[in-house]
Amino acid sequence: MSTAIVVGAGIGGVTAAVALQRCGRQVTVLERAPELGEVGAGISVWPSAVAVLEELGVKGVEKASVPSKPAGMRKPDGRWVVSAAELGVEIPVMIHRAQLHDLITAEFGPAITVRTGYDVRTVSQDADGVTVNDDLRADLLVAADGIRSVVRGALYPQYAGPRYSGFTAYRGIADLELDDGGGETWGRGQVFGFARLIDGRFYWYGTANQPAGTTSEPTVFESWHDPIPRLIAGSEKILQNDIYDLTLPLVPFAQGRVVLLGDAAHAMTPNLGRGACSAIEDAGALGRHLGGTDLRTALTAYDAERRPATTKLVKRSRSLGRLAQTENPVVCTLREGLFTLGGKLMSLRARK
């Protein structure tokens, strides 16, 4: 039986393991943490990623999530700029990362072995296989080890790697009764968003411009419209992470018998909410290509499909982040007008 090693057991890594299992491979998943699982808060799962999960047999992720109350973009004082309905945007499923992780790993069968507490230090390959730390060997290695990927560093030591976006992010989960459909509020250099998870709780996030490595609290949002202060106060734990993405151009996603996936390949800012979904789509594409041809041809096809698609997302997300985090008052006024006009045009088009 063909063998594969997956480095990293986040959303992308475990999805890749399921996809490889379905291709008939014996899979070893290596995770540096002492236990298998996901930390963090909420995650948006767009229809394209839901479709991949369904193809892999993952159950429990709804195809649609429609808020019962209006959602959209607001100003810090609560005035609406434009609603999601006016913009004509699709609504993703909102789910806790740990819950999604559990749904995916529930599909682990006897072909998948998990080794936790395993720190990947070295990776080498030859014509016949890939070796990790001189003690594990497989026909294929999938690097899903995140934005600071050890495997990517071994393959492309000259690559610049992560790039600081200029802003930090706060995230939390609040178990509150709210009569609000959520959305985003944009201020000058700050953004706050929230949405109801499928379990009924609310996931929220806030971003603020500041130097990398600065520890801070989301106090800037205390004066913003309801229910923002209540969401922050109602959170048992608040996470803070500086936001990085990968330097462009992205490196090739395949080299020999090693393939990059998820943040290891194309880490992006969270402004489009597509990071984890892209990792899921990577896994689906990898499994699809491996199922029909030889390894070299499959990995070449995977790179040709996924690198251009995710490069566009990295660029778009970075551009949106710059617009969202601008502190220029003139630009802030202009962007509100553009969003309002865009919503009106979408509304008029929908009436035709």
Side-chain angles (χ1 to χ4, degrees):
M1 178 182 287
S2 297
T3 56
I5 293 172
V6 177
V7 181
I11 297 295
V14 296
T15 308
V18 173
L20 292 167
Q21 173 185 246
R22 291 174 71 88
C23 292
R25 281 172 164 74
Q26 190 75 35
V27 185
T28 300
V29 179
L30 305 178
E31 171 55 44
R32 182 172 56 183
E35 296 181 357
L36 193 66
E38 260 285 3
V39 297
I43 183 174
S44 54
V45 187
W46 297 84
S48 55
V50 173
V52 171
L53 294 173
E54 289 183 339
E55 290 175 4
L56 297 177
V58 176
K59 306 172 184 64
V61 183
E62 289 85 351
K63 287 186 176 180
S65 176
V66 180
S68 57
K69 298 296 178 181
M73 182 180 293
R74 284 173 267 198
K75 297 181 180 182
D77 62 7
R79 287 179 293 168
W80 287 93
V81 176
V82 64
S83 71
E86 288 176 314
L87 285 174
V89 298
E90 54 185 354
I91 304 297
V93 176
M94 298 300 300
I95 186 172
H96 195 285
R97 296 185 72 96
Q99 185 179 359
L100 178 60
H101 194 272
D102 289 344
L103 291 173
I104 297 169
T105 56
E107 297 305 311
F108 278 16
I112 299 177
T113 301
V114 179
R115 293 185 61 173
T116 56
Y118 190 99
D119 192 12
V120 174
R121 299 181 302 277
T122 62
V123 175
S124 60
Q125 60 177 317
D126 53 39
D128 299 318
V130 187
T131 303
V132 176
N133 291 358
D134 297 324
D135 65 349
L136 290 178
R137 189 167 172 82
D139 303 315
L140 169 69
L141 185 144
V142 178
D145 53 341
I147 188 171
R148 304 188 186 279
S149 170
V150 172
V151 179
R152 187 189 65 236
L155 293 181
Y156 306 104
Q158 302 305 315
Y159 177 54
R163 179 202 69 97
Y164 183 51
S165 67
F167 59 92
T168 196
Y170 312 96
R171 293 174 294 158
I173 300 286
D175 190 1
L176 302 176
E177 289 293 331
L178 297 181
D179 189 29
D180 197 307
E184 285 194 338
T185 300
W186 288 21
R188 293 183 183 177
Q190 299 100 22
V191 172
F192 192 98
F194 66 99
R196 188 186 298 272
L197 299 174
I198 63 174
D199 65 8
R201 295 180 297 170
F202 279 86
Y203 163 57
W204 64 265
Y205 54 89
T207 58
N209 298 338
Q210 64 182 37
T214 305
T215 301
S216 58
E217 299 292 333
T219 53
V220 66
F221 303 110
E222 291 177 350
S223 62
W224 286 29
H225 68 79
D226 185 73
I228 291 175
R230 286 195 289 146
L231 287 166
I232 297 173
S235 302
E236 183 175 341
K237 184 177 182 180
I238 297 175
L239 304 174
Q240 184 198 350
N241 301 97
D242 288 342
I243 300 301
Y244 290 79
D245 62 5
L246 284 182
T247 302
L248 294 171
L250 302 175
V251 299
F253 290 3
Q255 185 187 112
R257 293 175 173 267
V258 180
V259 61
L260 304 179
L261 182 148
D263 281 353
H266 50 68
M268 60 191 74
T269 66
N271 300 91
L272 291 176
R274 299 275 181 173
C277 288
S278 295
I280 292 170
E281 291 165 12
D282 289 347
L286 181 62
R288 186 174 67 254
H289 289 300
L290 286 172
T293 184
D294 64 277
L295 182 63
R296 176 177 293 182
T297 303
L299 298 189
T300 299
Y302 166 78
D303 178 62
E305 176 184 341
R306 296 303 299 158
R307 184 155 47 118
T310 52
T311 294
K312 291 178 182 177
L313 291 176
V314 172
K315 290 179 178 178
R316 288 172 53 198
S317 193
R318 183 180 297 179
S319 296
L320 185 59
R322 286 171 177 163
L323 179 63
Q325 298 299 137
T326 184
E327 299 180 27
N328 186 307
V330 175
V331 176
C332 289
T333 301
L334 287 173
R335 77 185 179 192
E336 290 171 5
L338 288 173
F339 278 116
T340 302
L341 177 60
K344 290 178 180 179
L345 290 176
M346 291 296 296
S347 180
L348 287 171
R349 188 174 69 179
R351 295 192 187 105
K352 292 182 179 178

